[in-house]
Amino acid sequence: MAAKPKLYYFPGRGRMESIRWLLAAAGVEFEEELFETREQYEKVQKDGRLLFGQVPLVEIDGMALTQTRAILSYLAAKYDFYGKDLKERVRIDMYTDGTLDLMFPIMASPFQPPKEKEEGLASAVKKAKTRYFPVYEKILKNHGEDFLVGNKFSWADIQLLEAILMVEEMNASVLSDFPLLKAFKARISSIPTIKKFLQPGSQRKQPPDSHYVELVKNILQI
Amino acid sequence: MMAEKPKLHYFNGRGRMESIRWLLAAAGVEFEEKFLKSAEDLDKLRTDGSLMFQQVPMVEIDGMKLVQTKAILNYIASKYNLYGKDIKERALIDMYIEGMADLKEMIIPLFKTPPDQKDAKVALIKERTTNRYFPAFEKVLKSHGQDYLVGNRLSRADIHLVELLYEVEELDPNIIANFPLLKALKTRISNLPTVKKFLQPGSQRKPPANMKTTEEVRKIFKF
């Protein structure tokens, strides 16, 4: 029996959360080592499994994979979430790169000084409403299909849902002008594997709080 | 009917388009460039609906208007067979190039860094290069002793790395001194006919940003 993928990260969302979403969407059980101390983290660093000294790290199929996008692309390809050909794949790449661009500043904001944090979050909500969500709304409108690419559930759909929920945590009405995204959100959320991930008790992590920020700062000595 | 050449939309400088130029050139693909020269040029692309997220780089290729640097590079690498032979090789390539992209992200904004902050940024780039990135790639080459980073065959990983080696050397000519295998890779890749041609004067390779580029970019992107 194949070993379960094993995820090494801090006990929070950060850059590992998109990976958890993808595995969960694929119905793949995974293990996690969550760093609570600097010693735990240093042990993994010293083991030599972190190519650039950084997490996320995912052990899967005999590989020690680091770099978020490398891990996500591998999982998307492995679990058939990456379109049927190169032209579908490039669309998935464009859409997921867009949602990652939207999410990364939100992920980084808890670690910034209060003023930058507030500005960063406000900017992210604005970009969501004016630059990103209109694009996805239009894509859904143009083809009238249930999923973003190729009339089939893909990585692009998983990540868009993650991004929508993330922005909604900061501004609950952010989808008010986007009826198709609202329907999309309901539809994707009710896919059985996603539904399970969204329930309490899953491996989905909580939004970062001050305890989490302190923990990460201590471990990374920043 | 001859296929149209890819067409690159960007300003006349390196920025985020340079890796795309390197990859196309290394693959032996001729391409055209349409340079943004003013804020109006950028506005026109935006109002045309040509830029999915209102940003450049944008590359017209195979009937599509591609945006997002990584998406563009992934497409070109796949199309021209520079992305490994299977998903495992691709995962290794992706891991390596994402590390390179992290380093490149530190270099790209140098042109607009105020002079009083520049030294510190350059020092950090050098530190990361010598302590984090170059040792990782040197170790990869040492581990298999092959001529290329992945799969004993030229891939985008080699091309992106050599591009990076040249750029970091522009900041410090001696930075590669303690990495013999990286030096050898640089020489080997530079001697490939397509890369050799790209490295010669008159190619579409762009020089480092100077004051004029910086001013032009400020005007176009309004910062």
Side-chain angles (χ1 to χ4, degrees):
Chain A
M1 194 176 82
K4 293 179 190 174
K6 190 167 176 184
L7 280 49
Y8 295 77
Y9 201 65
F10 313 105
R13 290 181 179 177
R15 286 166 181 274
M16 187 63 97
E17 193 72 353
S18 299
I19 293 164
R20 297 182 184 110
W21 271 88
L22 202 44
L23 284 166
V28 175
E29 285 181 28
F30 55 94
E31 291 174 4
E32 298 194 76
E33 178 165 326
L34 302 171
F35 303 128
E36 298 281 353
T37 66
R38 176 145 182 91
E39 289 66 41
Q40 270 181 286
Y41 178 64
E42 280 182 337
K43 184 170 184 296
V44 177
Q45 277 186 316
K46 286 178 183 141
D47 272 346
R49 280 175 288 170
L50 304 180
L51 182 64
F52 303 114
Q54 297 167 306
V55 287
L57 164 68
V58 174
E59 288 174 338
I60 184 169
D61 298 333
M63 298 180 292
L65 284 185
T66 58
Q67 293 291 347
T68 312
R69 281 184 172 89
I71 298 164
L72 289 167
S73 293
Y74 180 76
L75 296 175
K78 184 179 161 118
Y79 297 113
D80 203 24
F81 286 140
Y82 221 161
K84 71 178 198 297
D85 57 27
L86 188 52
K87 284 208 169 185
E88 284 195 353
R89 201 164 84 191
V90 75
R91 285 169 56 204
I92 291 169
D93 274 344
M94 283 194 287
Y95 303 163
T96 53
D97 223 43
T99 44
L100 282 173
D101 276 357
L102 174 59
M103 289 195 288
F104 277 150
I106 301 174
M107 285 176 216
S109 67
F111 297 91
Q112 289 172 318
K115 180 163 168 277
E116 279 85 336
K117 176 181 174 176
E118 213 181 292
E119 285 171 358
L121 291 178
S123 164
V125 172
K126 186 170 174 206
K127 282 196 174 147
K129 283 186 174 175
T130 56
R131 177 177 285 187
Y132 293 103
F133 289 175
V135 172
Y136 300 112
E137 181 82 4
K138 189 172 168 196
I139 289 164
L140 292 171
K141 187 171 184 181
N142 284 347
H143 59 46
E145 291 165 7
D146 281 355
F147 306 105
L148 285 168
V149 179
N151 207 14
K152 189 179 145 167
F153 185 47
S154 79
W155 174 26
D157 304 301
I158 299 161
Q159 206 160 276
L160 177 56
L161 177 61
E162 182 190 359
I164 287 170
L165 294 179
M166 191 182 278
V167 181
E168 274 187 336
E169 278 168 357
M170 296 180 307
N171 181 330
S173 64
V174 75
L175 286 190
S176 55
D177 295 332
F178 305 107
L180 295 179
L181 286 182
K182 265 192 182 156
F184 173 86
K185 178 190 159 194
R187 200 162 54 242
I188 305 302
S189 299
S190 62
I191 291 173
T193 50
I194 302 279
K195 191 171 182 178
K196 192 171 166 196
F197 188 62
L198 289 170
Q199 276 160 0
S202 82
Q203 282 159 296
R204 188 182 182 212
K205 300 295 174 278
Q206 295 305 305
D209 59 14
S210 55
H211 168 76
Y212 175 71
V213 172
E214 277 318 297
L215 181 78
V216 174
K217 281 183 172 177
N218 268 328
I219 292 176
L220 293 180
Q221 292 178 341
I222 52 175
Chain B
M1 186 183 90
M2 201 171 75
E4 277 184 37
K5 294 180 192 175
K7 194 168 183 185
L8 280 49
H9 295 260
Y10 205 61
F11 63 86
N12 189 358
R14 288 183 180 174
R16 292 169 183 287
M17 189 61 98
E18 193 71 353
S19 300
I20 294 167
R21 297 182 184 109
W22 266 88
L23 195 54
L24 284 168
V29 177
E30 285 182 27
F31 57 91
E32 289 174 6
E33 300 196 76
K34 184 118 193 275
F35 296 122
L36 302 176
K37 295 204 159 72
S38 65
E40 289 69 40
D41 287 344
L42 180 58
D43 282 341
K44 185 166 186 300
L45 280 180
R46 284 171 169 163
T47 50
D48 270 350
S50 296
L51 306 180
M52 183 178 291
F53 300 115
Q54 311 308 318
Q55 296 168 310
V56 285
M58 188 269 279
V59 173
E60 292 181 74
I61 184 169
D62 298 335
M64 300 178 290
K65 290 184 174 166
L66 298 184
V67 297
Q68 298 295 126
T69 313
K70 288 174 199 279
I72 298 166
L73 288 167
N74 288 359
Y75 183 80
I76 295 166
S78 295
K79 182 176 167 150
Y80 296 106
N81 254 302
L82 290 166
Y83 218 161
K85 72 179 197 301
D86 56 31
I87 71 169
K88 280 199 166 188
E89 283 195 355
R90 207 178 120 140
L92 286 183
I93 289 169
D94 276 342
M95 188 166 50
Y96 302 162
I97 66 182
E98 282 294 309
M100 295 173 206
D102 283 350
L103 182 54
K104 191 114 208 263
E105 276 301 307
M106 298 173 73
I107 298 173
I108 289 174
L110 276 181
F111 79 97
K112 58 177 174 165
T113 305
D116 61 338
Q117 293 170 29
K118 203 162 180 176
D119 283 347
K121 298 226 156 136
V122 173
L124 182 60
I125 289 168
K126 289 191 202 178
E127 191 269 322
R128 290 271 159 88
T129 301
T130 30
N131 295 332
R132 175 180 285 179
Y133 295 107
F134 280 11
F137 300 123
E138 184 81 4
K139 190 174 167 191
V140 168
L141 289 169
K142 187 166 188 188
S143 73
H144 54 52
Q146 290 164 0
D147 281 355
Y148 305 101
L149 282 166
V150 179
N152 206 13
R153 192 180 106 153
L154 180 71
S155 79
R156 62 181 293 195
D158 307 294
I159 296 158
H160 297 320
L161 180 54
V162 170
E163 175 192 358
L164 201 51
L165 293 173
Y166 275 103
E167 285 199 7
V168 188
E169 273 187 328
E170 281 166 359
L171 297 175
D172 178 351
N174 296 317
I175 202 162
I176 205 178
N178 294 325
F179 302 98
L181 298 178
L182 292 184
K183 255 184 168 166
L185 179 79
K186 182 176 171 238
T187 305
R188 208 158 45 239
I189 302 299
S190 301
N191 283 330
L192 294 174
T194 50
V195 179
K196 194 168 185 175
K197 192 170 163 198
F198 188 62
L199 288 168
Q200 276 159 2
S203 82
Q204 283 158 300
R205 188 181 179 213
K206 301 296 173 274
N210 55 21
M211 290 282 283
K212 184 163 169 259
T213 326
T214 310
E215 276 320 297
E216 197 171 82
V217 173
R218 277 189 200 281
K219 261 181 16 196
I220 297 169
F221 295 96
K222 293 180 183 160
F223 64 85

